Amino acid sequence: MTGQVGEPARRIEGWKSIAAYLGRDRSTAIRWSRERGLPVHALPGGRSRSVYALAAELDAWISGQRALLPDQVPDAIPDPLVPKPPPARPPATAIDPLALPRPAPPRHWSIVLSALALLGVSVAGFVWIDASPDRLDVPTHARFVAARDDVAMRSAPRLHAATATLTRLAHDHPGNVEVQEALAEAWVLIREFGSAADTLCISRARAAAAAARAIDPNSAVADRVDGVIAYWWDGKPQLAGKLFRRAIADAPGDPLAHLWYANILADNGEDAAAQRAFDTARTLAPGAPWLLADYGWGLWSAGRTKEAQALLTTVATQYPTLASVHDALSVTALAAGDLAGYAHHLSIRARVRGEPELLAYSAALRRTIDSDRRAGIGSAATYAVILSRAVSITQNDDLPDHSWPAFVAAVAGDRAALVAILDEARARGERWGSAGFVRRVRARFAGDARIDAALRALAQPPIDTA
């Protein structure tokens, strides 16, 4: 990722700049990241993470793809291992998972093939043979179980290894629903615990969930994976709620269905419903560190700051390589005005997830903090750096969500910047969950009618129907 030892990596921020570097338009850059493995990374902050690329990685990718760059190339390059994913933002006419009939699982490969085609999933990469090979033999089943263990560990290297294994198994055993479900789940988790681009993770998760649903229309895992995508990527909170409730009805003992439902409820500010879902998840998977980290974030989103900080700190002490807890602690530190803590937890997250750009940023941030301290001028320069970065990466994002820069501006006490950000978000038609951010913005500017009105206009509809 660097030209020579010690040379800093040149970062290219946002889809517009990445597309300009490639000499193509933004939609092409996004499509290439989804279909051809264009190396694009995600940045923290906001509901949908912003993106950047490293020039050296783009150069290497271009060298490997040189024959594919002319405009005459086909729209998609078939992947020999994974079905062609549908678009990351499906058009209004795309098939709604909730509208699909839910008969008994298909028993003949012709039905599976037809269902896959109906869902827009390419089957060109599949090798369709006798049904018996889809029953995993003992050595293959051992590989599957080991891959599931790797997924459960929530570490970036093990998740990537698991995804490689599950991708191969899905290719060799396309009729095995458990393999397809595990692959869909792995891609969702890589988005949170790894550094792969959102476009890649989401499209691959969609494809694997569609393949699982084609085999078993009642797949609860497919429903909860699609629920995650509907909320965090497609901006459809009510559809997400319906998918999660259906997943829970079909698999009431699945802790992830309850946990992921709790996460979206907490993000949307539906505190009581979120607490109920968290309680059920904790009952089903007591003491799971990844669950406790999410619960700690849910407590912080609900304004239960002391409880959240105590729980997150305990989890981080006991499980220091859990990326999600350091992600949460970086934000809680920033909210409390602890800039050094913010940079510290960002650097740990960057090391755990393998994010060299974020590691460099956190180091630069620490230098700015030290410079502010030596100059005795407060933290104005540090806040300016954090806010400038938050605004710039959000403006260049394909799916902008200004809740993160709004939160940063509020923490910095910069009302003018906050009002400008809120106006921009409303002009773009954004709708926010981000309850933890919104709660702190309101508290910082309590009684400010203009800010309160803007936040109300940006609110999403409720998810829970109880």
Side-chain angles (χ1 to χ4, degrees), residues 268-269 301 403 406-407 409-411 418 422 432-460:
N268 211 41
S301 296
S403 60
F407 166 70
V411 170
L418 174 59
L422 293 173
W432 296 352
S434 303
F437 297 163
V438 171
R439 193 181 301 271
R440 272 73 187 181
V441 172
R442 278 206 169 99
R444 180 65 178 79
F445 292 94
D448 192 312
R450 182 172 181 187
I451 290 174
D452 189 63
L455 292 173
R456 286 200 307 273
L458 288 163
Q460 293 183 145

Side-chain angles (χ1 to χ4, degrees), residues 49 159 182-193 201-202 204-206 224-226 228-229 260:
R49 296 184 294 172
L159 272 167
L183 182 59
E185 182 178 302
W187 278 116
V188 167
L189 292 173
I190 283 177
R191 180 180 183 266
E192 181 177 358
F193 295 91
C201 295
I202 296 301
R204 295 292 171 88
R206 281 191 205 271
R224 64 170 159 82
V225 166
D226 282 337
V228 167
I229 295 171
W260 291 358

